[in-house]
Amino acid sequence: MMLAAATAGLMVAMLIALARAIAGPSLYDRVLAVNSFGTKIVLLIAAMGFLSGRPDFLDIAVLYALVNFIGTLAVLKFFRYRHLGVGAVGERGVGEQRVGEHRVGEHRAEPR
């Protein structure tokens, strides 16, 4: 009975987090609300697994928590740099070079 009440409380908290995600004034408020929603889903999956007597749900909950964390980092990186590639905009990646630069050991012909 107590676990069912905790599950109902989680559902209410999920609705509040969802409302915050929709009405959040800034992007970071929305990302935080979605991350909080995902954390509550992890707790809900674990509670449902305990209620139904299936401990396998705990593995699913841990996997979902990992996906939630990586997804939050990816969304924040995308909105900061506007791409998900290596490095930030303006930084040079491995093997990239600016126009006019040459690598050490390479000889360039001087313009005449």
Side-chain angles (χ1 to χ4, degrees):
M1 182 68 184
M2 191 66 148
L3 202 55
T7 304
L10 275 173
M11 294 292 237
V12 170
M14 287 169 63
L15 287 174
I16 292 171
L18 190 61
R20 181 66 177 174
I22 293 170
S26 72
L27 171 76
Y28 296 108
D29 290 329
R30 290 184 172 133
V31 169
L32 181 65
V34 169
N35 189 16
S36 176
F37 186 81
T39 302
K40 287 169 183 51
I41 287 178
V42 168
L43 291 172
L44 185 68
I45 290 171
M48 288 296 183
F50 186 78
L51 279 175
S52 65
R54 298 193 54 181
D56 303 338
F57 279 21
L58 190 60
D59 295 336
I60 295 169
V62 169
L63 180 66
Y64 189 82
L66 181 64
V67 169
N68 185 32
F69 176 71
I70 299 297
T72 301
L73 290 180
V75 166
L76 288 174
K77 182 176 180 181
F78 177 77
F79 281 111
R80 182 170 184 184
Y81 298 117
R82 295 292 179 210
H83 66 85
L84 293 175
V86 177
V89 175
E91 290 183 8
R92 288 179 285 168
V94 177
E96 293 180 15
Q97 58 187 354
R98 292 185 182 154
V99 176
E101 289 183 349
H102 63 281
R103 295 187 177 122
V104 176
E106 290 182 1
H107 297 287
R108 290 181 18 190
E110 295 295 324
R112 296 179 187 209

